[in-house]
Amino acid sequence: MPMPSFGSPAEPLTCSSALRLLDEYVDNELPPHVAARIEAHLAGCDGCPKKLELERAFREVLRRQRERRAVPPGLRERVLDAIGQCWRIDPSAFWE
C-alpha cells in the first residue's frame, strides 16, 4: 500500500496526520523523509509526544508480558491441528 503524502513536505503535519503514522514510526517502518516530518511535528507539539510515550510504554508492557509467559508444551501443535480440522473439507461434497 503506498504511503499517503499528507501534503507538501514543507507543510507541518497536523496532529491527526502524525498520529495516524505513530505505529509505523514506533516500529521504524517509515521512509526517512516521513519519519523526519513526524519528528519535526513531535518537537513542536505538546500532546503528540505524550501519546508517543504512552505507545512506547504500552509496547514495553506487552513485551514484558510475552517474556513472562511460557507456552505450555504441545500447545502449538494442538492449535495447528484444530485449525487444520476446521479447514478440512470433504472433496465429495463438491460432487453431490
Side-chain angles (χ1 to χ4, degrees):
M1 176 184 299
M3 179 67 57
S5 67
F6 296 108
S8 157
E11 292 177 31
L13 286 179
T14 63
C15 290
S16 176
S17 295
L19 292 175
R20 278 188 269 165
L21 295 170
L22 198 60
D23 283 332
E24 290 89 349
Y25 177 76
V26 171
D27 291 336
N28 296 315
E29 295 175 346
L30 294 174
H33 70 281
V34 177
R37 289 188 69 197
I38 291 179
E39 289 164 3
H41 175 81
L42 291 168
C45 182
D46 291 331
C48 290
K50 293 173 187 167
K51 292 180 180 176
L52 175 61
E53 184 181 331
L54 181 65
E55 182 64 29
R56 286 182 170 155
F58 175 69
R59 288 168 184 241
E60 179 62 20
V61 167
L62 289 178
R63 186 188 64 75
R64 287 182 186 166
Q65 289 298 320
R66 185 178 62 226
E67 289 174 357
R68 287 187 204 164
R69 300 191 184 197
V71 176
L75 177 63
R76 181 177 192 276
E77 291 76 18
R78 290 193 309 269
V79 169
L80 291 174
D81 185 53
I83 291 170
Q85 288 178 18
C86 290
W87 289 101
R88 284 193 198 118
I89 298 173
D90 180 7
S92 65
F94 292 107
W95 305 109
E96 293 179 5

